[in-house]
Amino acid sequence: MPLLEIIFNVLVIGLLFVYWAVAFIILYHLTRFGVGVQPKRFAAIFMLGSIILFTVTIILFMKIDINLLISQ
């Protein structure tokens, strides 16, 4: 059973890494190539939303009992 938990945790960490990589690419392009103030505002709102979504995801992931998922 611990092997499945490790695989599940590595998968989740990998998905979160991909999420932050894509978020970074979006933020970079909004701030670097955006003309004027509006793209920078969108980037700030996007960053705030990304942090909130990441926090909620981590909190919900910590509450999951992996052993119950595996036994079913």
Side-chain angles (χ1 to χ4, degrees), residues 1 6 10 18 20 29 42 44 55-56 63-64 67 69-70:
M1 289 296 181
I6 293 171
V10 168
V18 169
W20 277 113
H29 284 89
F42 286 145
T55 305
V56 169
K63 291 185 178 196
I64 291 177
N67 292 325
L69 292 176
I70 294 172

Side-chain angles (χ1 to χ4, degrees), residues 4-58:
L4 290 175
E5 291 179 28
I6 293 171
I7 292 171
F8 185 70
N9 287 333
V10 168
L11 181 66
V12 169
I13 290 170
L15 288 173
L16 289 175
F17 178 74
V18 169
Y19 170 77
W20 277 113
V22 171
F24 173 76
I25 291 169
I26 292 171
L27 285 170
Y28 174 77
H29 284 89
L30 281 174
T31 55
R32 175 73 171 95
F33 301 113
V35 177
V37 179
Q38 194 68 21
K40 275 96 174 146
R41 288 183 186 155
F42 286 145
I45 292 169
F46 180 78
M47 183 67 181
L48 181 63
S50 294
I51 291 171
I52 291 171
L53 183 62
F54 178 73
T55 305
V56 169
T57 302
I58 292 298

